[in-house]
Amino acid sequence: MVGRGEQPVSEQRPRGVVVGVDGSEAAAGAVRWAAQEAARRHLPLRLVAAVDWAVPAGIGAVDLQPEIFRDAIEAAAQEWLAHARAVAEDVAPELGTETEVRGGVPAAVLHHESETAELLVVGNRGVGGFAGLFAGSVSIAAAASARCPVVVVRGTPTPDGPVVVGVDGSPVSEPALSFAFTAASARGSGLVAVHAWSDSTLDAAGWALLEWDAIEAGERELLAERLAGWSEKYPDVVVTREVVRDNPAAALVSRSRHAQLVVVGSRGRGSVRGALLGSVSQVLLRHAGCPVAVVRA
């Protein structure tokens, strides 16, 4: 089905895994990851190509006719989707896969899709990006404003590695913990719960006055409180607790290099591109060694 303009998503559509497709290698990687995840969760897979129907005034001395331009863009998007469907079917032939070209700015289209999705998946970089350096604007915007969990597929996941979740001690961690335990259970993997507690602005003199043993004991108790009940709900998941004196972002990036997935929470208080996405989330989206799930409170 092809849509030009912002067409409403049917309320009858089952919640599933939605992937943003733009013809890039990063998007193909996102499709592979999403197909595996949809199969694990027994969810439908939806592939969406968002295109802007605005017609440029001209290229050189050639004026483009609106319909010719739109038809060309639509044909390209359909090719992207056909390739993405083939990738998905190669990974999980049993999946029911839906495709659609939607008109609009990609970040806005994906935000709209997230309202009826179980999970939104995007690649690290779009067409023309510098792979591995920085997260693309679309992935940052999606992670900051989506109405469902977002996975940005980047790095190289370790197949037999654990799921890693950042626990900051606040209620924001609860949705992230739920996502992380579900992901670990579905993969048959362990879960590493990381709580970093030395992200301090104190100078050296102030640090010398702190009673580190007492602080660490308190932080361990805080982590135990946040994890209380989850192991009973997921008895098949072996949990490793790590309380570390380190910057939270640095601790999670380090552990991401040997993980299948890193999960972090986000307050998600706005939709300004990246501005209100937590600093830890932003660092992970730029530097993590495996896919990153951002779960809004």
Side-chain angles (χ1 to χ4, degrees):
M1 178 178 179
V2 177
R4 290 184 177 175
E6 286 299 320
Q7 297 185 356
V9 178
S10 169
E11 295 182 358
Q12 301 303 314
R13 178 183 298 143
R15 297 178 70 87
V17 178
V18 175
V19 190
V21 175
D22 65 1
S24 67
E25 283 300 315
V31 171
R32 291 187 192 94
W33 191 95
Q36 292 176 330
E37 190 68 12
R40 287 191 191 100
R41 297 185 179 210
H42 306 289
L43 293 173
L45 181 67
R46 175 170 163 78
L47 310 176
V48 177
V51 294
D52 191 345
W53 300 116
V55 179
I59 300 177
V62 180
D63 288 327
L64 298 178
Q65 297 298 319
E67 287 306 314
I68 294 176
F69 177 78
R70 291 179 179 180
D71 288 347
I73 292 295
E74 183 177 305
Q78 292 290 6
E79 288 184 8
W80 301 343
L81 290 173
H83 175 67
R85 182 194 285 273
V87 170
E89 291 177 348
D90 183 59
V91 172
E94 73 283 4
L95 275 181
T97 303
E98 176 186 8
T99 65
E100 184 176 0
V101 178
R102 297 196 61 196
V105 177
V109 169
L110 292 179
H111 176 81
H112 194 254
E113 288 284 335
S114 75
E115 295 176 353
T116 54
E118 188 76 17
L119 179 66
L120 178 63
V121 182
V122 293
N124 180 47
R125 290 290 300 186
V127 175
F130 295 92
L133 292 181
F134 301 106
S137 60
V138 173
S139 59
I140 290 287
S145 68
R147 303 304 297 272
C148 69
V150 176
V151 171
V152 178
V153 178
R154 59 164 295 118
T156 304
T158 302
D160 58 351
V163 172
V164 175
V165 60
V167 184
D168 67 2
S170 75
V172 173
S173 299
E174 291 302 300
L177 281 169
S178 177
F179 188 97
F181 269 93
T182 300
S185 179
R187 288 164 172 75
S189 73
L191 177 67
V192 178
V194 180
H195 177 58
W197 53 282
S198 69
D199 191 20
S200 174
T201 57
L202 288 176
D203 58 24
W207 277 55
L209 297 175
L210 295 178
E211 296 182 6
W212 291 112
D213 290 343
I215 293 174
E216 182 174 356
E219 299 299 332
R220 290 189 179 279
E221 183 177 352
L222 179 61
L223 178 59
E225 290 174 355
R226 284 298 172 198
L227 293 175
W230 287 108
S231 291
E232 287 77 9
K233 188 174 181 179
Y234 293 89
D236 59 318
V237 177
V238 177
V239 180
T240 301
R241 303 178 186 182
E242 293 193 7
V243 176
V244 295
R245 286 175 57 180
D246 197 0
N247 174 280
L252 292 172
V253 167
S254 174
R255 285 155 182 78
S256 74
R257 299 188 183 108
H258 305 286
Q260 293 191 47
L261 178 70
V262 172
V263 184
V264 289
S266 174
R267 290 172 175 80
R269 293 171 293 179
S271 60
V272 177
R273 183 179 301 169
L276 297 177
L277 186 64
S279 59
V280 173
S281 301
Q282 291 206 47
V283 171
L284 283 168
L285 294 184
R286 289 172 166 85
H287 302 291
C290 70
V292 178
V294 178
V295 185
R296 297 183 66 194

